Amino acid sequence: MHVPDGFIDAPVSVAAGVAATAAVAVSLRGARRELDERTAPLAGLVAAFIFAVQMLNFPVAAGTSGHLLGGALAAILVGPYTGVLCVSVVLLMQGILFADGGLTALGVNVLNMAVVTVLVSYAVFRGLLKLLPAGRRPVTVAAFAGALLSVPGAACMFTLLYALGGTTDVPIGKVFTAMAGVHVLIGIGEALITAATVGAVIAVRPDLVHGARSLATPLKLRVGGELVDAPAAAPVPAAARSTRKLWATGLVTALVLAGFVSFYASTSPDGLEKVAADKGIDAKAQQHAAAGSPLADYSVKDVGDARLSGGLAGVIGVGATVAVGSGIFWAVRRRRAQDLTAAATSPASAG
């Protein structure tokens, strides 16, 4: 669903950019409450993993493919504010390095693929958790449902933006029907990937899943016919709480997916590309400003072997995304630590 330059006119693109900037600013502030010394490095890993999985287009219908958007996965793993930032970092890397998604349409893409997907998926996820019994399986079920609905939600946002500023004269009803139909199918793939990933992380480190914190309920004991809280367990040593093993496993997985498995991804156009070609939305599409990038189209310039070229591009993309994302999240986490220190040493707290 990466919108190229030229699909949406300048005024609406600018307005979308302003809205996206505001959303990112709010997310930067909100992420301070979500990130700590353990989750900050994992947020960079989540961004890199989303980048890698987005290279794995899967077939959804005749001549059409889809790929993970990632908003639901990021929001559930590291929190909604941090989730918006994760997907935004991925979109920025894709636009600048790989000429994927227009630069003038970056605000449109952030709204569609980062903000809307996170808002829709996390609202559904939290709502279902209130209705379902506590446990790991309900968390996975809620993640599936949130991810499933997030993709057509993003498609609806694109349709709205096209209705406001589309550069071609295509009936909005046809655009909505085509976009919603194909992206419901893509949403099924999104839901499967999200549920599988969330379930896998919960199985090994539920304490690191933002959306699964409700699982850590205090143990109850029956004493004299009444339920009371069990004595607190002994603190877990810092070494046992280390995220290094999970981080290394996740990074290796992302590198393998982007550097090797991506070669076998579907080459069919994704949902938006297919709808745009079929309905004529792409009649005024513009060449990407970074079309001359040595990594454009997820291949390394002057490397003749297609498999090697694509694999190297994927590895570079994962490395760049984890580096930039980790840098941003560490800076946000450091700002949080500064805020906590300032609050602790303020005259009001001292009094």
Side-chain angles (χ1 to χ4, degrees):
M1 198 182 290
H2 294 77
V3 180
D5 296 318
F7 277 28
I8 307 296
D9 64 21
V12 174
S13 294
V14 170
V18 171
T21 301
V24 169
V26 171
S27 297
L28 283 169
R29 188 172 184 84
R32 297 182 198 174
R33 299 190 297 271
E34 296 173 345
L35 296 171
D36 56 30
E37 65 277 2
R38 292 187 299 162
T39 57
L42 289 179
L45 177 62
V46 168
F49 183 79
I50 290 173
F51 173 91
V53 180
Q54 282 196 5
M55 294 182 67
L56 308 181
N57 281 48
F58 49 85
V60 294
T64 309
S65 70
H67 63 69
L68 181 81
L69 299 187
L73 178 62
I76 295 166
L77 288 180
V78 292
Y81 293 109
T82 308
V84 169
L85 299 179
C86 283
V87 182
S88 297
V89 168
V90 173
L91 293 171
L92 183 63
M93 294 295 99
Q94 290 170 332
I96 293 176
L97 298 179
F98 301 95
D100 189 8
L103 295 183
T104 63
L106 182 59
V108 171
N109 286 320
V110 169
L111 278 183
N112 289 344
M113 298 176 64
V115 179
V116 170
T117 57
V118 166
L119 288 177
V120 172
S121 64
Y122 204 69
V124 172
F125 176 78
R126 297 305 305 179
L128 285 177
L129 286 187
K130 293 180 180 179
L131 301 175
L132 296 173
R136 295 181 180 181
R137 182 171 296 179
V139 171
T140 305
V141 170
F144 182 96
L148 175 65
L149 295 176
S150 70
V151 179
C156 289
M157 173 56 76
F158 170 79
T159 305
L160 174 61
L161 294 175
Y162 180 82
L164 296 174
T167 57
T168 54
D169 188 18
V170 180
I172 194 63
K174 291 185 177 180
V175 176
F176 173 76
T177 301
M179 287 291 292
V182 71
H183 284 92
V184 166
L185 298 177
I186 295 173
I188 297 173
E190 178 99 12
L192 290 171
I193 295 171
T194 300
T197 305
V198 170
V201 179
I202 287 179
V204 294
R205 291 296 300 269
D207 58 307
L208 296 179
V209 178
H210 180 89
R213 290 179 177 177
S214 60
L215 297 180
T217 55
L219 179 65
K220 297 287 186 178
L221 296 177
R222 187 173 295 277
V223 179
E226 296 184 1
L227 289 176
V228 298
D229 290 339
V236 180
R241 299 197 305 267
S242 173
T243 62
R244 291 180 181 177
K245 184 177 180 179
L246 179 63
W247 195 93
T249 301
L251 181 60
V252 170
T253 301
L255 290 170
V256 170
L257 292 175
F260 177 72
V261 181
S262 61
F263 180 78
Y264 301 97
S266 173
T267 57
S268 298
D270 67 22
L272 177 58
E273 290 175 322
K274 180 65 173 175
V275 171
D278 289 348
K279 305 299 180 183
I281 296 175
D282 60 355
K284 296 185 179 180
Q286 301 171 4
Q287 185 179 30
H288 200 286
S293 166
L295 297 173
D297 297 324
Y298 298 93
S299 60
V300 178
K301 187 178 181 181
D302 298 330
V303 175
D305 184 272
R307 178 176 296 186
L308 178 60
S309 179
L312 286 175
V315 169
I316 292 170
V318 168
T321 303
V322 76
V324 172
S326 297
I328 291 173
F329 297 127
W330 270 116
V332 173
R333 191 265 166 187
R334 184 177 181 183
R335 181 63 183 270
R336 177 197 181 188
Q338 292 173 344
D339 291 344
L340 292 175
T341 301
T345 57
S346 65
S349 62

